[in-house]
Amino acid sequence: MTKGIFVHRSDSIYDDSPAEQYQFPRQYLTRVSACIGDWIVYYEPSKIRDTRGYFAVAKVAHVVPDPTAKDMYLALIEPGTYLDFPNPVPFNGPLGLVERGVLNEQGKISGRAQSAVRRLSIEDFNRIIDLGLAEDDSFLPRIDETPENLLREERSPFQFEIERDRVANLGSRLVRDRLFRRRVVEAYDARCAVTGLKLINGGGRAEVEAAHIRPVDRGGPDIVTNGIALSGTVHWMFDRGLIGLNDDLEILVSRQANNPDSIRSLINRTGFAIPPQRPLERPHPAFLAWHREHCFKH
């Protein structure tokens, strides 16, 4: 097993769905196969406008021939392992090159940097993870927080000395929930997508919550397009199917709600959920469809 870099473009011609599969040609079969059972980092090239750089991590479960395309293969991602970085990591940032395995003996960037799939050393993997998952969630709400512990609690930085600890925490539900919450709240600028309200409490924390559209325990990934920022009451209604969303983000109110007029009074004037600024972070139609089919009370 070995860790790797998978290059992915949002405008790719390949049939990629980063949380589920990565399509690649035969020439990369040996490299990708070496990553089976191990973690990979997704990278978006620097020439892409508003590039995210190194933007996510996932674990490769299997590699299979693509049944729909000749001489193409699919790296299947282990369910529940994909995780967006709350901090996109640039290829060459303030601390210099983070993926130092692309340097040649003279210390120059080699042709390896152009490869769509390449091996990633443990040292480079750790460096990227440390930067991508570094926590700065002072604006996020806390669970059962009181004024007393708001003043007294101090957070430890999300840093680990050995590779084993990093990998263990990538699978921690507590860590993943916290990072998912931060990623979604930032994407929506701390604003409830349904009410349009942006409320910050006295401690400077956003009151909005991050809701999974398709819950993790029902097969939903920790990806921003499977999330939406909602106030506490709206989150409760969304999870219980009293409200839902069409693919165009039109807000639906269940006929089974006891007081539909009160629910409609909470909805912003447009009648549509307010999307993130970046189109790539909008709720994905597949997750919205799942919620309408399995959760929303028609």
Side-chain angles (χ1 to χ4, degrees):
M1 295 189 296
T2 185
K3 293 172 176 57
I5 293 289
F6 286 6
V7 175
H8 168 75
R9 297 175 53 132
S10 56
D11 60 353
S12 173
I13 62 172
Y14 293 102
D15 185 17
D16 293 344
S17 178
E20 300 173 339
Q21 66 181 40
Y22 181 81
Q23 186 187 49
F24 62 93
R26 181 186 295 273
Q27 70 189 82
Y28 292 120
L29 181 58
T30 299
R31 295 183 196 177
V32 175
S33 296
C35 297
I36 294 174
D38 213 332
W39 294 84
I40 59 93
V41 172
Y42 282 108
Y43 171 71
E44 192 170 61
S46 55
K47 58 186 177 182
I48 300 296
R49 183 179 179 182
D50 298 325
T51 178
R52 294 170 291 171
Y54 304 92
F55 67 90
V57 65
K59 190 175 184 180
V60 178
H62 306 287
V63 172
V64 297
D66 188 336
T68 66
K70 184 179 180 181
D71 291 330
M72 299 295 287
Y73 293 81
L74 298 173
L76 304 180
I77 301 303
E78 183 175 311
T81 63
Y82 179 95
L83 184 64
D84 278 320
F85 290 159
N87 314 304
V89 181
F91 180 76
N92 195 355
L95 301 179
L97 219 61
V98 294
E99 189 189 348
R100 296 171 188 170
V102 300
L103 298 176
N104 59 24
E105 294 178 356
Q106 291 72 43
K108 303 291 185 181
I109 296 177
S110 70
R112 288 192 295 274
Q114 304 301 316
S115 179
V117 177
R118 51 187 184 262
R119 183 173 180 175
L120 184 67
S121 70
I122 290 178
E123 293 77 13
D124 286 351
F125 175 81
N126 289 347
R127 190 177 301 110
I128 293 169
I129 294 298
D130 283 345
L131 293 170
L133 302 186
E135 294 192 69
D136 180 19
D137 59 357
S138 58
F139 71 101
L140 290 175
R142 300 243 178 129
I143 305 301
D144 298 328
E145 184 173 64
T146 64
E148 181 181 5
N149 66 32
L150 175 63
L151 294 173
R152 290 167 46 184
E153 183 180 11
E154 294 183 3
R155 295 195 63 83
S156 300
F158 190 85
Q159 293 181 348
F160 302 92
E161 296 301 322
I162 53 177
E163 185 263 343
R164 180 187 63 220
D165 287 336
R166 290 174 175 84
V167 169
N169 277 273
L170 290 175
S172 164
R173 191 67 255 160
L174 185 64
V175 172
R176 295 178 71 88
D177 282 344
R178 190 165 64 241
L179 294 170
F180 174 80
R181 186 166 70 248
R182 177 182 164 195
R183 182 78 177 85
V184 171
V185 171
E186 287 182 340
Y188 285 81
D189 190 30
R191 187 181 305 279
C192 174
V194 169
T195 66
L197 294 176
K198 181 177 180 179
L199 300 175
I200 308 297
N201 69 18
R205 295 181 180 276
E207 294 295 344
V208 75
E209 300 172 359
H212 283 87
I213 299 170
R214 179 171 181 169
V216 171
D217 60 6
R218 305 285 298 274
D222 295 304
I223 183 172
V224 70
T225 55
N226 185 38
I228 186 169
L230 301 173
S231 64
T233 300
V234 177
H235 188 175
W236 182 89
M237 292 190 294
F238 185 79
D239 285 351
R240 283 152 186 80
L242 298 179
I243 61 173
L245 296 171
N246 274 331
D247 290 352
D248 62 358
L249 301 189
E250 178 187 10
I251 300 168
L252 308 173
V253 177
S254 170
R255 297 176 186 173
Q256 299 184 37
N258 348 358
N259 196 341
D261 290 338
S262 294
I263 294 177
R264 291 190 182 94
S265 71
L266 296 174
I267 297 172
N268 74 83
R269 295 181 191 176
T270 69
F272 291 79
I274 301 169
Q277 185 174 4
R278 288 172 57 94
L280 290 176
E281 295 174 333
R282 288 173 62 100
H284 195 283
F287 300 129
L288 295 176
W290 185 95
H291 184 271
R292 289 194 302 272
E293 293 169 11
H294 299 277
C295 188
F296 182 64
K297 297 174 180 177
H298 294 273

